[in-house]
Amino acid sequence: MYVAVKGGEKAIANAHALLAKEGRGDPNVPAIGQDAVAGQMPVLVSRVMTEGSLYDPKLAARAILQAQGDVLEAVTLVRSYRTTLPRFGYSEPIDTAGLDPQRRVSATFKDIPGGQQLGATFDYTHRLFAEPAGDGPVPGDAGIHHVPMPRVSDLLGSDALLEPDHAADWADPEPADLTREPTVHPMSRAERLQGLARGDEGFLLALGYSTQRGFGNTHPFAGEIRVGEVEIEFDAPDLGFSVPLGRIEVTECQMINQFTGNAHTPAQFTRGYGLVFGRGERKAMSMALVDRALRAGEFQERIVAPAQDEEFVLSHADNVQAAGFVEHLKLPHYVDFQAELHLIRQLQREHHDNAAGSEETNT
Amino acid sequence: MRVLAHASRPQLERAWAAWDAKPEVEAIRGPEAGLVMVRGRVGAGGDRFNLGEATVTRATVRLHGVPMTADTVGSAYVLGTDLEHAWFAAAFDGLLADEQLRERVLNDVIAPLERGQEHYDNDRRAEARSTKVDFFTVAREHA
């Protein structure tokens, strides 16, 4: 148990000043600006926005600078900031089928309408140190204004080979909001996706990996990955109509998984879904794997692995909670530890006394 | 409103500076920053779910004075926390509501912004299309 301490103000102030000095590095080197971080570290910024659950590249860049590159610290800053702002409302659901992808690949079909478009990717790089490439790509078909890129899941879905988006008798239910209501298990899939979207990338990556290695086998294929800017519209209560707010960049992953069928449903492909802010492909893929694993109950699959256990996954995915509870251990626990120390001493004394007593009886 | 929401703050600031005979702009609400919860759909077409929030700034202003035929109210919502950004967008929205000024705003402000945005989109699209790839499988396809 933690008991509050007082004092140490001067040392704490100095520690923070020292932290700032250490974070500044060599004063002869120009300091990095917020815009430089937002522009040159977009993947890091994306991660902080996704796990901070707040889309704002400028604020995320500022958080990264203040946190000296500590992702979890930056995420915490973003989460704290969001609590200071009023909630205007909810957006219309974003239309990822309508987004004009910068990147769009499918690992299941070679020839998809609209084609495979690599976009800005680390794939196919040699993963060796190299000099940065020059002035961008040589632009392709400049005359082409818009190539429609339908969803890969619609191609399979039309033949009933893939589970549909929703049941025929579907009322488009209002989703619960984890930031507003206490967590109750079991969650709806919508709630789980909200939890996974803000979950730690490393944790979800490890869980997703575990399903591939046999801990809750899901036989996945990356049906489609899309990265691009999508418009968001907000149903403004004061105006009475939907207003466009601008565009946000998102990464979407549709994972397609084998399903052998059961008494009620014939064999078909099932799906896992991942959606994150910015460019976060690894996170989107991991999220889709874990989303599918967590649907085990829905398909009457045996629940044998951690990634299939909703309470385990969702209760430990949030890195702000996890970091807070782990890191609080370093705060002063003097009173608590004194009590433990006292107890151990007493137990040892009793142990010695008992040992001495039994020796006396033996002699 | 879409064009104004997509325009950057410096673009709107320049357009406002270039706009002569500015009316009086009186703040009715804000500008104030807040949050909008962004929603997605499960599997892109299923149930709605809450993805995460985005910062949004809104402003509502009343325009009156010299160039206006009558008082108008302008509103704007823009992404981000730049209060001025929303203020400029709301001011132009108010000008658009004026029957006499509407044409001029559309021609002098909205049309150039829209062209700029289209140009930017086309450039981005052309760059993206340059990465279009045709994979071919090494295995025999018609065995």
Side-chain angles (χ1 to χ4, degrees):
Chain A
M1 189 186 62
Y2 174 73
V3 178
V5 289
K6 289 207 293 183
E9 289 88 351
K10 199 174 156 196
I12 290 169
N14 276 332
H16 292 166
L18 184 59
L19 173 72
K21 183 168 181 279
E22 290 290 316
R24 176 61 183 85
D26 183 350
N28 296 316
V29 176
I32 322 170
Q34 191 179 305
D35 293 341
V37 174
Q40 296 172 41
M41 296 191 168
V43 183
L44 176 59
V45 167
S46 298
R47 181 168 177 196
V48 171
M49 292 196 299
T50 298
E51 292 171 26
S53 202
L54 186 68
Y55 191 93
D56 189 322
K58 284 183 187 163
L59 282 176
R62 184 175 164 187
I64 290 162
L65 277 176
Q66 188 179 323
Q68 305 186 358
D70 183 333
V71 176
L72 271 62
E73 196 72 36
V75 167
T76 308
L77 288 171
V78 170
R79 291 269 188 97
S80 305
Y81 176 76
R82 75 157 276 283
T83 63
T84 65
L85 295 176
R87 170 83 69 82
F88 291 161
Y90 293 89
S91 84
E92 298 287 324
I94 56 174
D95 175 23
T96 51
L99 81 81
D100 199 5
Q102 193 217 43
R103 170 167 168 78
R104 189 269 201 130
V105 292
S106 169
T108 51
F109 295 105
K110 192 160 58 69
D111 301 308
I112 42 177
Q116 307 253 3
Q117 194 168 288
L118 296 179
T121 180
F122 293 108
D123 294 353
Y124 312 107
T125 61
H126 297 297
R127 264 83 181 201
L128 297 171
F129 286 121
E131 294 305 315
D135 307 322
V138 181
D141 329 330
I144 296 177
H145 280 254
H146 183 71
V147 184
M149 293 189 178
R151 296 188 302 146
V152 167
S153 52
D154 290 337
L155 303 175
L156 273 176
S158 58
D159 298 330
L161 298 174
L162 187 70
E163 61 158 329
D165 279 332
H166 51 79
D169 55 340
W170 175 66
D172 195 7
E174 183 71 19
D177 187 345
L178 295 182
T179 65
R180 288 295 164 99
E181 294 135 42
T183 309
V184 182
H185 295 288
M187 291 173 160
S188 67
R189 191 174 171 204
E191 285 173 282
R192 290 200 304 255
L193 283 172
Q194 183 182 6
L196 295 176
R198 54 200 269 137
D200 184 76
E201 178 174 320
F203 180 71
L204 295 182
L205 175 69
L207 281 177
Y209 180 43
S210 75
T211 68
Q212 287 181 284
R213 291 194 63 255
F215 289 83
N217 214 340
T218 53
H219 301 282
F221 297 91
E224 185 171 18
I225 292 166
R226 280 171 182 252
V227 184
E229 287 183 343
V230 67
E231 277 198 19
I232 53 172
E233 292 196 355
F234 169 57
D235 189 12
D238 50 331
L239 299 178
F241 55 89
S242 284
V243 287
L245 295 177
R247 288 188 207 162
I248 62 170
E249 189 180 41
V250 294
T251 301
E252 180 191 52
C253 173
Q254 296 265 12
M255 211 55 98
I256 296 177
N257 303 71
Q258 196 187 85
F259 174 56
T260 48
N262 58 31
H264 312 288
T265 320
Q268 63 174 186
F269 291 110
T270 56
R271 292 150 65 177
Y273 188 63
L275 183 65
V276 299
F277 288 144
R279 281 163 54 197
E281 205 162 290
R282 191 185 307 117
K283 165 71 184 279
M285 293 177 78
S286 307
M287 179 176 167
L289 287 174
V290 176
D291 171 46
R292 175 60 186 85
L294 288 173
R295 299 179 67 200
E298 206 179 315
F299 299 111
Q300 286 93 44
E301 291 166 342
R302 288 202 311 135
I303 296 176
V304 290
Q308 297 170 314
D309 183 334
E310 173 187 301
E311 193 167 343
F312 176 79
V313 173
L314 271 305
S315 305
H316 301 112
D318 191 284
N319 57 25
V320 175
Q321 285 174 358
F325 203 45
V326 168
E327 292 190 40
H328 101 284
L329 291 174
K330 68 194 170 184
L331 299 177
H333 280 67
Y334 307 135
V335 176
D336 196 20
F337 189 70
Q338 279 300 321
E340 297 268 324
L341 201 59
H342 184 78
L343 181 66
I344 295 285
R345 280 194 181 123
Q346 188 184 337
L347 289 172
Q348 286 204 349
R349 204 162 40 236
E350 282 171 13
H351 179 80
H352 288 307
D353 288 352
N354 286 345
S358 56
E359 264 174 43
E360 272 171 29
T361 40
N362 283 346
T363 46
Chain B
M1 251 178 150
R2 166 169 287 109
V3 175
L4 287 174
H6 284 184
S8 70
R9 178 243 168 105
Q11 283 176 322
L12 293 179
E13 197 170 4
R14 274 197 301 275
W16 184 253
W19 186 264
D20 54 358
K22 293 184 186 65
E24 297 282 317
V25 182
E26 184 195 334
I28 295 179
R29 181 177 61 183
E32 58 183 350
L35 302 168
V36 164
M37 175 58 90
V38 179
R39 284 185 162 165
R41 282 192 181 280
V42 176
D47 292 356
R48 289 168 290 172
F49 74 97
N50 296 306
L51 172 62
E53 286 157 321
T55 52
V56 170
T57 303
R58 70 179 170 193
T60 303
V61 295
R62 193 167 68 90
L63 271 58
H64 57 95
V66 179
M68 310 297 292
T69 324
D71 287 11
T72 62
V73 172
S75 290
Y77 282 84
V78 295
L79 285 173
T81 56
D82 187 341
L83 302 181
E84 299 266 286
H85 190 180
W87 188 92
F88 287 122
F92 278 116
D93 187 56
L95 287 177
L96 277 170
D98 187 287
E99 283 175 21
Q100 301 289 321
L101 295 172
R102 186 176 172 81
E103 274 303 301
R104 222 189 105 202
V105 182
L106 287 175
N107 289 332
D108 295 1
V109 180
I110 304 296
L113 285 174
E114 200 170 12
R115 277 199 300 277
Q117 286 162 13
E118 251 172 51
H119 192 73
Y120 171 83
D121 283 349
N122 285 339
D123 284 355
R124 296 266 300 172
R125 202 171 285 137
E127 277 177 359
R129 290 310 281 175
S130 76
T131 66
K132 186 170 175 292
V133 65
D134 292 309
F135 287 117
F136 55 92
T137 42
V138 180
R140 283 178 300 161
E141 291 191 39
H142 306 290

